């Protein structure tokens, strides 16, 4: 199936890395817009409406976390963070401000390409799910097409990943989905590495829609409570 060319905003202040990533993404058929610092990233995001953002954490001006916070406030968009080290605190902050995935430097270019493709596939699948329209689960209302959620009558603002996670759980209310299945469906990752990522996002989702709406089946996975009223 032919899709329109996807536009990626690349934010990286190191010229060699910026150039190498740009060359590879262009070779893969993407339209690449570049920025080199925090303020530039926000300006380019607003000007070019990219489909995805590849975002270095350490940047001049303000850092990648602040960029992520600001752009997610404008429009939800998938964000792949590039971190200098495998620092769990860094990664948790990234997830908290709306990053969807991260890569630790140094990384293989083919790994970056695979992660970008997986994030974009996820957006496509979520759009297919969105074709199912709105769903009411007790006092939880999900407008799949508009990507909006209300809990107990109040609108809840979710990151793209949190929304997709909720959408997949909502397709089969009450049915347990394994963390591996969620990882494959929501993140597009085959295999079982990264289940901790699922746990982090479920935790964030619970904090926003109410902890008791998502049931943990210990050692297996998660289920959305069906028809929960309060
Ligand atoms: Ca940097």
């Amino acid at each position: 199936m032919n899709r329109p060319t996807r536009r990626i905003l690349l934010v990286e202040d190191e010229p060699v890395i910026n150039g190498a990533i740009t060359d590879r993404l262009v070779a893969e058929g993407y339209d690449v817009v570049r920025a080199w610092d925090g303020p530039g990233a926000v300006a380019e995001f607003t000007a070019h409406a990219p489909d995805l953002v590849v975002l270095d954490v350490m940047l001049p001006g303000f850092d990648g976390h602040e960029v992520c916070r600001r752009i997610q406030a404008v429009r939800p968009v998938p964000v792949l963070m590039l971190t200098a080290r495998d620092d769990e605190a860094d990664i948790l902050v990234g997830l908290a401000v709306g990053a969807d995935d991260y890569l630790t430097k140094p990384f293989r270019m083919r790994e970056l390409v695979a992660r970008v493709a997986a994030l974009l596939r996820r957006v496509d699948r979520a759009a297919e799910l969105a074709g199912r329209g709105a769903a009411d689960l007790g006092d939880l209302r999900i407008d799949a097409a508009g990507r909006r959620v209300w809990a107990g009558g109040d609108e809840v603002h979710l990151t793209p990943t949190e929304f997709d996670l909720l959408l997949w759980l909502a397709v089969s209310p009450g049915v347990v989905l394994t963390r591996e299945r969620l990882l494959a469906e929501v993140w597009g990752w085959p295999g079982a590495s990264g289940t901790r990522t699922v746990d982090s996002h479920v935790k964030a989702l619970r904090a926003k829609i109410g902890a008791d709406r998502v049931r943990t089946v210990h050692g297996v996975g998660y289920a959305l409570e069906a028809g929960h009223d309060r």
Side-chain angles (χ1 to χ4, degrees):
M1 183 160 73
N2 286 324
R3 296 187 187 283
T5 302
R6 300 304 182 87
R7 180 173 294 157
I8 297 175
L9 171 60
L10 167 65
V11 189
E12 169 62 77
D13 57 310
E14 290 156 65
V16 173
I17 301 177
N18 189 310
I21 295 176
T22 299
D23 289 349
R24 183 59 187 262
L25 291 176
V26 168
E28 296 288 330
Y30 297 109
D31 178 12
V32 179
V33 174
R34 301 202 270 178
W36 309 84
D37 56 32
V42 175
E44 295 298 323
F45 179 81
T46 308
H48 297 285
D51 298 298
L52 179 142
V53 181
V54 176
L55 182 57
D56 188 30
V57 173
M58 297 297 290
L59 292 170
F62 44 81
D63 71 10
H65 294 142
E66 183 59 25
V67 172
C68 194
R69 203 175 281 124
R70 294 192 190 193
I71 65 178
Q72 297 286 7
V74 175
R75 176 173 63 85
V77 65
V79 173
L80 173 62
M81 284 275 197
L82 307 179
T83 63
R85 58 217 149 95
D86 197 2
D87 182 333
E88 191 169 3
D90 240 24
I91 291 161
L92 289 177
V93 170
L95 295 177
V97 294
D100 300 282
D101 196 4
Y102 62 89
L103 267 182
T104 304
K105 291 177 176 177
F107 50 81
R108 291 176 186 278
M109 213 52 88
R110 67 161 180 252
E111 179 68 13
L112 177 116
V113 169
R115 299 292 186 91
V116 164
L119 281 173
L120 289 171
R121 273 199 305 275
R122 194 195 79 193
V123 173
D124 293 339
R125 274 198 305 274
E128 283 170 30
L129 282 178
R132 297 169 189 236
D136 286 296
L137 298 155
D139 64 348
L140 187 68
R141 179 172 176 77
I142 305 169
D143 170 7
R147 297 182 69 81
R148 298 173 74 184
V149 175
W150 292 264
D154 296 323
E155 184 161 10
V156 183
H157 297 279
L158 302 181
T159 67
T161 298
E162 289 160 6
F163 184 85
D164 292 342
L165 183 59
L166 178 61
L167 207 55
W168 277 104
L169 289 168
V171 167
S172 319
V175 174
V176 180
L177 294 178
T178 64
R179 296 190 296 176
E180 290 78 10
R181 171 83 188 279
L182 287 168
L183 199 60
E185 299 286 19
V186 177
W187 281 265
W189 296 350
S193 65
T195 50
R196 206 177 51 174
T197 302
V198 178
D199 296 338
S200 303
H201 281 90
V202 166
K203 189 176 171 190
L205 180 63
R206 279 188 168 132
K208 292 182 180 179
I209 68 168
D212 52 351
R213 293 179 202 273
V214 183
R215 178 164 51 97
T216 301
V217 181
H218 193 66
V220 180
Y222 299 99
L224 194 67
E225 293 290 6
H228 179 94
D229 275 301
R230 65 177 85 195

